[in-house]
Amino acid sequence: MNNNNSSIGIDAIAFHGPRCYVDMAELATARGIDPAKYQKGLGQLKMAVATPCEDTVTMAAQAGRKALEKFGIDASEIGMLIVGTETGIDHSKPTAVYVHELLDLSQNCRTFETKHACYGATAGMTSAIDWIAAGRARGKKALVIASDIARYGIGTPGEPTQGAGAVAMVISNNARLVAIDSQTIGDYTRQVMDFWRPLYSKYAFTDGHYSIECYLDALTGAWEAARENAGDDTRFTIDNIEACFYHVPFTAMARKAHFRHYEIDFSMNETGENLSDEQAQQRIISSYQKRVSPWLSINAEVGNIYTGSLFLAMMDYLRQNKNKGDANISLFSYGSGCGASYFIASVHPDAAQFARLCDPSEELNKRRKLSVDEYESVLKDTENTDLHENESLDPARWDLLENLLYLGTRDHQRMYVSN
Ligand code: HMG
C-alpha cells in the first residue's frame, strides 16, 4: 500500500440471512421455464426468502452481533454505526437506530443509514474509512452493515434475481482481514432509470437489460477514474490481482463484469502479442475461472442481497483463503440509479487464520426449503404486512427459530422480540 493509512479496513465480517429459501430449478419449472436458464444463464441455485417476521432490522442486527462476537469485539469499541439499505422500514427513522439499541451500542456512537441502491453500504464503508483516517475515531471502530430484501414480484423477469440477507463489517485502523487503499477509489455517477422503487411500491421496477448496460458502463467509468488516481500503479493490472469482486445481482453478472474489466485492462496494457479471437477469449475465460468464479458460490445460494452482494462474494474468498500472503484484490460496487466505485485492497497475510469465522455455510445448510406455493404465500403475506397501525405477526406460521424477530406494529410503532 502506498498511503499512510495502510491498515485501515475490514477487521471483522459476518453474514445473516433468512431461514427459508426456494430452489431455483423448482421455481423455473413452476414458471414454465427451462431450469438451465436460472441455473446456468443467471447462475443461481437457491434464493433466500424473507418472511414478514424477518426484516432489514432483524437481519442487520443479527449480522452485526455475529461480527462482534465471532471476532471478539466489545460493543463499547464501536464509535460509529452505519446501516446501508435500500429496503428500510421507515421513511424517516433510520434502520440503524433500531440496530443500535439491539446491539446495545454506546449513546455516543454516531449512527445513521445510507441509501444509494446497492451502493449504500460502500458509501457507508468509505465514510467510516475517512472518519478513521481523519483521526476522529479516537481509537474506536466503525460497524458498517449492509442489509436488504430484494423483491421484484411473482412472474416478473426479476423474480429469479430476488434474495435477502445482511453482511456486517467492522472497520478499524488495524484491520485483521482486508486493508482498503482509499487513495485509489475511483467514483462514477450518472442519472439513469435502470432500477428504482417508487414510494408506493413494495416491489422494485427495473429495465433489466438496460440495467446490465448501465452496470457495465459504470464499471468502465469507475475503473478509468481509479486508474487515473493511481497513476502507473501496477496493482491495477489484472494479471497482478489475485481476486476480483463485483456487485453480484446474479452470479452471471460477475462474469459479464469480469469480461468488461479484462477488456478495458487489456486495451490499456497492450502486450503486443498477436492473439487470435479464440486465444483472446480463452485468456478471458481462464482469468474469470481463476479470479472470480471460485468466490460466487454463496451468492448462488442466497440471491441478490443488494448492497451486501459484493461483500458476500468477498466473504466466500475469505472463507477459502489458505494463507497466500499479502494478496492484492479489486472491488467494484454498483448501485442502480446509478453510482459506482472501483478500488484496490489488500488481504492481510494472516487473514487465513480467520477463514472459519468468515464461513456462513453452516447457517445456510440449516435453512428450510419452501415449495413454490409456500414461497408465493410468503410474498403475498409480505404484501399484506406494514399497512396498518396495529398488526400482529405470528412467527410460528413460518416455523422460525431466530432469536430476533419483527412482530408487527402497535400504535404505528414497530415491535421486535429478542430472546
Ligand atoms: P430475462 O430477459 O428473463 O433473461 O431477464 P435473458 O433472456 O436475458 O436470459 C438470461 C441469461 O440466460 C442469458 O444469458 C440467456 O442466454 C440465458 P446471457 O446472454 O446474458 O449470457 N439463457 C439460458 N441459458 C441456459 N439455458 C437456457 C437459457 N435460456 C436463457 N435454456 C434479467 C434477465 C437479468 C434482465 C432479469 O432477471 C432482471 O431484470 N433482473 C433484475 C435487474 C438486474 O438484476 N440487473 C443487473 C444489473 S443492475 C444491478 O446489478 C443493480 C441491482 O442489484 C439493484 C440495485 O443497485 O439496487 C439490480
Side-chain angles (χ1 to χ4, degrees):
M1 292 272 154
N2 51 8
N3 66 38
N4 295 327
N5 302 302
S6 57
S7 57
I8 299 182
I10 302 167
D11 190 45
I13 195 162
F15 168 79
H16 183 88
R19 169 145 159 74
C20 301
Y21 74 92
V22 70
D23 180 87
M24 297 306 282
E26 291 179 17
L27 183 63
T29 306
R31 300 288 173 260
I33 286 171
D34 179 355
K37 175 174 175 182
Y38 290 0
Q39 296 179 317
K40 295 207 170 72
L42 296 173
Q44 292 304 125
L45 302 176
K46 293 176 183 169
M47 187 171 89
V49 179
T51 63
C53 289
E54 297 161 297
D55 71 1
T56 306
V57 171
T58 66
M59 294 190 305
Q62 289 182 99
R65 190 173 293 155
K66 283 182 197 170
L68 298 182
E69 282 175 8
K70 286 188 179 200
F71 286 82
I73 298 166
D74 194 82
S76 63
E77 294 177 64
I78 302 300
M80 179 184 258
L81 168 67
I82 305 173
V83 178
T85 183
E86 57 178 295
T87 48
I89 39 72
D90 192 294
H91 287 308
S92 173
K93 191 176 165 79
T95 304
V97 171
Y98 289 98
V99 176
H100 176 276
E101 181 185 42
L102 290 161
L103 296 181
D104 202 17
L105 300 185
S106 154
Q107 285 192 343
N108 300 118
C109 177
R110 186 185 295 177
T111 299
F112 56 95
E113 179 176 306
T114 49
K115 183 183 75 175
H116 187 149
C118 296
Y119 182 74
T122 303
M125 190 182 76
T126 52
S127 302
I129 291 171
D130 292 346
W131 175 68
I132 294 172
R136 299 218 176 80
R138 296 184 177 83
K140 300 265 186 195
K141 301 173 166 77
L143 177 59
V144 178
I145 311 179
S147 184
D148 270 311
I149 302 174
R151 291 192 185 104
Y152 295 90
I154 295 168
T156 61
E159 183 182 29
T161 64
Q162 298 175 131
V167 176
M169 294 173 284
V170 175
I171 309 297
S172 84
N173 63 359
N174 201 6
R176 285 172 285 176
L177 298 175
V178 174
I180 290 166
D181 188 351
S182 59
Q183 302 301 313
T184 63
I185 296 177
D187 300 312
Y188 177 90
T189 301
R190 189 161 68 105
Q191 204 291 99
V192 289
M193 292 306 285
D194 65 330
F195 167 103
W196 65 103
R197 187 165 64 87
L199 288 174
Y200 50 79
S201 178
K202 290 195 176 196
Y203 294 111
F205 288 55
T206 182
D207 186 343
H209 291 280
Y210 177 55
S211 75
I212 293 173
E213 273 175 47
C214 293
Y215 175 122
L216 295 175
D217 288 348
L219 171 57
T220 305
W223 183 87
E224 284 171 353
R227 185 75 215 220
E228 202 173 314
N229 293 344
D232 54 6
D233 189 333
T234 53
R235 288 174 302 159
F236 274 79
T237 307
I238 220 162
D239 286 340
N240 295 335
I241 301 175
E242 155 126 352
C244 301
F245 304 105
Y246 304 93
H247 166 53
V248 190
F250 50 92
T251 67
M253 188 68 225
R255 179 172 42 79
K256 291 181 197 293
H258 193 67
F259 277 42
R260 171 65 64 90
H261 190 176
Y262 196 93
E263 274 164 24
I264 48 184
D265 180 84
F266 191 75
S267 63
M268 185 88 174
N269 300 299
E270 275 291 1
T271 59
E273 290 173 279
N274 201 4
L275 298 178
S276 67
D277 285 353
E278 202 181 315
Q279 284 169 321
Q281 191 68 5
Q282 200 41 54
R283 284 253 180 113
I284 302 182
I285 291 168
S286 68
S287 175
Y288 167 74
Q289 286 168 342
K290 185 173 165 201
R291 297 184 172 85
V292 187
S293 67
W295 349 110
L296 292 174
S297 58
I298 309 179
N299 294 80
E301 300 262 321
V302 173
N304 193 356
I305 61 166
Y306 286 158
T307 189
S309 296
L310 164 69
F311 303 106
L312 196 57
M314 195 180 66
M315 275 186 84
D316 201 348
Y317 169 88
L318 290 171
R319 76 175 175 145
Q320 297 177 56
N321 184 14
K322 294 194 181 64
N323 204 358
K324 295 176 187 140
D326 200 1
N328 184 34
I329 60 175
S330 70
L331 292 99
F332 171 68
S333 175
Y334 178 76
S336 280
C338 72
S341 292
Y342 178 99
F343 50 100
I344 290 288
S346 134
V347 180
H348 193 286
D350 297 330
Q353 65 181 278
F354 302 106
R356 201 178 44 80
L357 303 185
C358 299
D359 190 353
S361 55
E362 202 182 316
E363 172 185 329
L364 292 173
N365 292 341
K366 284 190 193 143
R367 290 186 300 175
R368 190 161 76 83
K369 187 169 101 168
L370 298 178
S371 67
V372 174
D373 284 350
E374 286 173 313
Y375 144 74
E376 289 182 0
S377 100
V378 166
L379 227 58
K380 284 182 186 135
D381 286 337
T382 309
E383 276 176 23
N384 296 323
T385 304
D386 289 333
L387 299 176
H388 307 289
E389 66 268 39
N390 288 305
E391 279 177 15
S392 171
L393 298 170
D394 178 11
R397 191 167 147 71
W398 299 287
D399 184 23
L400 296 174
L401 307 169
E402 309 297 289
N403 51 17
L404 173 62
L405 294 164
Y406 171 55
L407 291 185
T409 44
R410 189 183 302 146
D411 296 335
H412 302 281
Q413 297 180 26
R414 294 178 85 78
M415 294 183 299
Y416 290 93
V417 61
S418 178
N419 300 318

